[in-house]
Amino acid sequence: SAAPEATCDLLLQAHARLTEGLLERSVEAKLLLLAALSGEHLLLLGPPGTAKSLLARRLADVCGGRCFERLLTRFSTPEELFGPISLKALESDRLCRKTAGFLPDAEVAFLDEIFKANSAILNALLTLLNERLFDNGGERIKAPLWCAVAASNEMPEAGELDAIYDRFLLRRGVRPISDASVASFMRASLTGNERARSTSSSVFGAADAKELRKSAAQSVVFPSRLLNLVARLRLHLRDEVQPPVVLSDRRLAKAVQAIRVATHAAGGNTVTELDMLLLQHMLWDRDPNQAAAISAWLWEHMVPKVDGGDIGDIQVEGAARAQLDGLYSRDGERNGRQLFRQQDGPGYIYFDIFWRIDDGSMPGGPGSPPWYDSRDNKDSKNPPTGGWATVYAGSDPAPTLWKVVDGCGSADNSVLRAHLLLEGLDARIKNSLAQEAEFQDIQSEIRSLESSLEALVHGRLEGVAGLRSVLGYELGSTSLKSTNRCFWLEDDEVRQAEENVLPRAERAAAEVELLLCK
């Protein structure tokens, strides 16, 4: 395949040709290029007159190859898309179509108002778009289709059209020109004619894109931390968004493959946090506004949280047999100290001579003393993180407590968790009643924690290096170099990454390094 620098130059050249004379269509042009390079399909959804058709035709100009274009209506017939029935074949008692010059013979296709087509056409399109196969009479033939672009003025109805809708990995809601650009748009329309179809050669072809995908699969690393980020986003869309967005397995697999191709095309060899922003164009469902919500979620979660506001809730682990594990929220005071109540269970954390954890009867379970108590922090208004012991011999081990920022759970701030665990271990070391065997256990826990922190800081430093490479920073320097690695980002996204994300990522890595030094 072409060298990374050459591929980036081709991307810039193709993008310039797609957007020539157009305003506010940079993202649409980039998605057209990503669809072509990854061998996927793009749906442009928006009102008439927003240059959807023009952009799709320009893609055929940029990519070359055999192109097919058709405006669909509910009266469209299969012959209009797939070719007429061959009369010569009928003479031999065979039913097949003459596909030359029609969709089964095309490499690049533009299907306008696709959702207005009838079910006979849509059913035939399913296999053609996904498997690149076409059933021509009794023979299933391989179609050379490389990339299809569809346009629609309206969202498809749920149900019958779900299958065809899911075939378009990339989706973009196209808006009219913003108020800020209207004057420039009208001035351009007065001073220039509509761009004529270019007679220059194509920028890249299907063979180039296929080779790029093969090279990306062999050379681009997709870090586990970012695959986990995709998994978390999937859960967020399914469990926390209303209405829920349920992603098909096919869409998830194709999304990460497309991101890998985008990374390689922009000259990268490792997927970074900023590359994940492309997911906003792949994972939204029925509302184009969901793209902005996905983008906001990614900006918030792509790097570890450093500042979380006031320390509030308490996390308890290790008391599962007593059914007291979970998140505890503040619930007033008891005996002049903070009282915490288990969010999804009967537990309480409270002060009564000592700090206690029990199942809610205060004191103790039914006819029993508290499950756990701690002699530490007797003068504090908040419960201690260590020093807990069970009053039942052979019962649960002593639970672990740590403070949680914003009630988001321990996974949201692993450094805070580690810091408080170290506090608990330090308190146990200072306990004069500790036995030699317990000291050995404590040392083993510390070594395990150090190993976890070393892995954590390694991952965070990798994230910082990736961000700096995309933004164009020289290794070990604060100066910028010329780079096309941020090709897929818009200017406002680059600014947000420089001013917000990169500093947060650097602080997140530094705080782990500081904790290791301690």
Side-chain angles (χ1 to χ4, degrees):
S1 63
E5 297 80 5
T7 303
C8 292
D9 290 340
L10 291 177
L11 279 178
L12 293 172
Q13 180 184 343
H15 185 265
R17 284 173 59 173
L18 287 172
T19 57
E20 182 183 342
L22 300 178
L23 294 177
E24 299 183 358
R25 293 296 176 259
S26 174
V27 173
E28 289 78 3
K30 290 177 181 179
L31 293 180
L32 283 165
L33 292 174
L34 179 56
L37 292 173
S38 59
E40 293 297 340
H41 310 306
L42 168 66
L43 172 65
L44 298 175
L45 184 71
T50 50
K52 301 188 299 296
S53 302
L54 177 60
L55 282 165
R57 295 187 188 107
R58 287 186 179 183
L59 178 66
D61 176 30
V62 166
C63 296
R66 295 185 301 278
C67 179
F68 177 83
E69 177 182 341
R70 192 68 79 235
L71 172 64
L72 301 179
T73 71
R74 60 194 178 101
F75 302 110
S76 296
T77 64
E79 285 73 20
E80 295 178 49
L81 267 74
F82 309 120
I85 298 295
S86 171
L87 298 179
K88 187 174 182 179
L90 282 176
E91 293 175 357
S92 303
D93 291 331
R94 291 188 302 110
L95 181 65
C96 64
R97 297 184 182 277
K98 299 173 64 175
T99 59
F102 289 87
L103 182 57
D105 185 49
E107 293 176 300
V108 180
F110 173 50
L111 304 175
D112 201 1
E113 293 301 332
I114 184 172
F115 300 120
K116 286 185 167 58
N118 56 58
S119 58
I121 290 176
L122 293 176
N123 289 334
L125 281 175
L126 288 176
T127 305
L128 186 60
L129 291 176
N130 198 51
E131 285 84 19
R132 269 68 168 188
L133 297 173
F134 177 67
D135 292 321
N136 193 6
E139 181 184 6
R140 173 163 282 195
I141 62 175
K142 188 171 180 61
L145 184 64
W146 167 22
C147 172
V149 180
S152 177
N153 296 332
E154 56 192 9
M155 183 66 67
E157 295 181 4
E160 181 182 357
L161 298 177
D162 285 351
I164 192 71
Y165 183 57
D166 193 55
R167 293 307 193 269
F168 292 90
L169 174 65
L170 295 159
R171 300 165 179 166
R172 173 68 176 175
V174 185
R175 301 176 183 273
I177 296 295
S178 67
D179 293 344
S181 298
V182 166
S184 299
F185 171 75
M186 291 188 294
R187 186 176 298 108
S189 68
L190 291 172
T191 57
N193 296 323
E194 183 179 345
R195 177 182 180 271
R197 184 175 178 87
S198 173
T199 57
S200 58
S201 61
S202 61
V203 178
F204 55 83
D208 300 317
K210 184 177 181 180
E211 184 62 27
L212 181 74
R213 293 194 295 273
K214 180 180 177 181
S215 179
Q218 295 172 345
S219 60
V220 175
V221 176
F222 209 124
S224 296
R225 71 178 187 279
L226 298 183
L227 292 175
N228 291 333
L229 182 69
V230 179
R232 290 170 58 198
L233 176 55
R234 171 181 173 270
L235 291 177
H236 168 74
L237 293 173
R238 186 192 68 191
D239 299 339
E240 300 179 34
V241 171
Q242 292 298 327
V245 177
V246 180
L247 303 173
S248 68
D249 295 343
R250 174 177 57 222
R251 178 163 294 274
L252 276 177
K254 286 180 173 289
V256 295
Q257 291 166 7
I259 289 175
R260 183 175 62 186
V261 171
T263 297
H264 193 51
N269 54 21
T270 302
V271 177
T272 74
E273 281 73 4
L274 293 176
D275 296 312
M276 307 305 287
L277 290 171
L278 288 169
L279 290 172
Q280 67 183 292
H281 306 298
M282 305 182 204
L283 303 188
W284 61 271
D285 189 24
R286 295 288 169 177
D287 182 2
N289 292 324
Q290 290 172 341
I294 292 172
S295 175
W297 189 95
L298 288 167
W299 282 115
E300 180 181 355
H301 293 87
M302 67 171 59
V303 297
K305 180 180 286 188
V306 179
D307 297 319
D310 295 334
I311 294 177
D313 296 343
I314 296 290
Q315 183 83 24
V316 174
E317 284 189 7
R321 276 183 284 176
Q323 297 182 337
L324 296 175
D325 276 359
L327 202 63
Y328 287 67
S329 299
R330 289 183 180 179
D331 192 31
E333 292 188 356
R334 176 180 169 86
N335 296 328
R337 312 293 174 89
Q338 291 287 351
L339 171 67
F340 292 83
R341 182 174 183 174
Q342 191 177 8
Q343 288 188 1
D344 297 310
Y348 280 88
I349 303 174
Y350 63 96
F351 185 83
D352 182 8
I353 303 178
F354 305 116
W355 282 101
R356 318 278 197 185
I357 305 176
D358 74 16
D359 62 3
S361 56
M362 295 190 301
S368 303
W371 281 98
Y372 306 97
D373 62 21
S374 174
R375 270 65 172 174
D376 293 350
N377 284 27
K378 288 191 292 184
D379 297 327
S380 172
K381 292 196 67 174
N382 288 292
T385 58
W388 294 92
T390 177
V391 298
Y392 295 108
S395 184
D396 294 2
T400 300
L401 277 70
W402 59 85
K403 298 173 184 178
V404 178
V405 175
D406 286 346
C408 295
S410 59
D412 198 57
N413 199 324
S414 51
V415 173
L416 179 63
R417 169 183 174 175
H419 179 74
L420 292 167
L421 284 175
L422 282 174
E423 282 186 1
L425 291 171
D426 186 58
R428 288 169 60 189
I429 290 174
K430 294 177 181 178
N431 188 339
S432 60
L433 298 179
Q435 303 297 316
E436 179 64 27
E438 186 176 0
F439 279 123
Q440 293 178 359
D441 291 341
I442 293 172
Q443 290 174 348
S444 176
E445 290 183 45
I446 291 176
R447 286 193 296 270
S448 176
L449 184 58
E450 286 178 343
S451 177
S452 298
L453 289 174
E454 287 170 355
L456 181 64
V457 74
H458 177 73
R460 292 191 176 186
L461 288 174
E462 278 188 343
V464 170
L467 291 169
R468 292 174 67 85
S469 70
V470 172
L471 296 174
Y473 287 89
E474 295 279 7
L475 185 63
S477 170
T478 58
S479 61
L480 286 168
K481 62 179 180 180
S482 176
T483 180
N484 294 327
R485 182 65 179 87
C486 59
F487 170 80
W488 303 106
L489 300 176
E490 292 297 288
D491 290 343
D492 60 326
E493 293 174 325
V494 172
R495 285 193 298 271
Q496 184 168 350
E498 289 178 337
E499 297 171 4
N500 184 6
V501 176
L502 180 58
R504 281 169 50 205
E506 290 173 336
R507 288 173 58 198
E511 68 178 3
V512 186
E513 292 180 309
L514 182 62
L515 190 57
L516 275 171
C517 292
K518 290 182 179 180

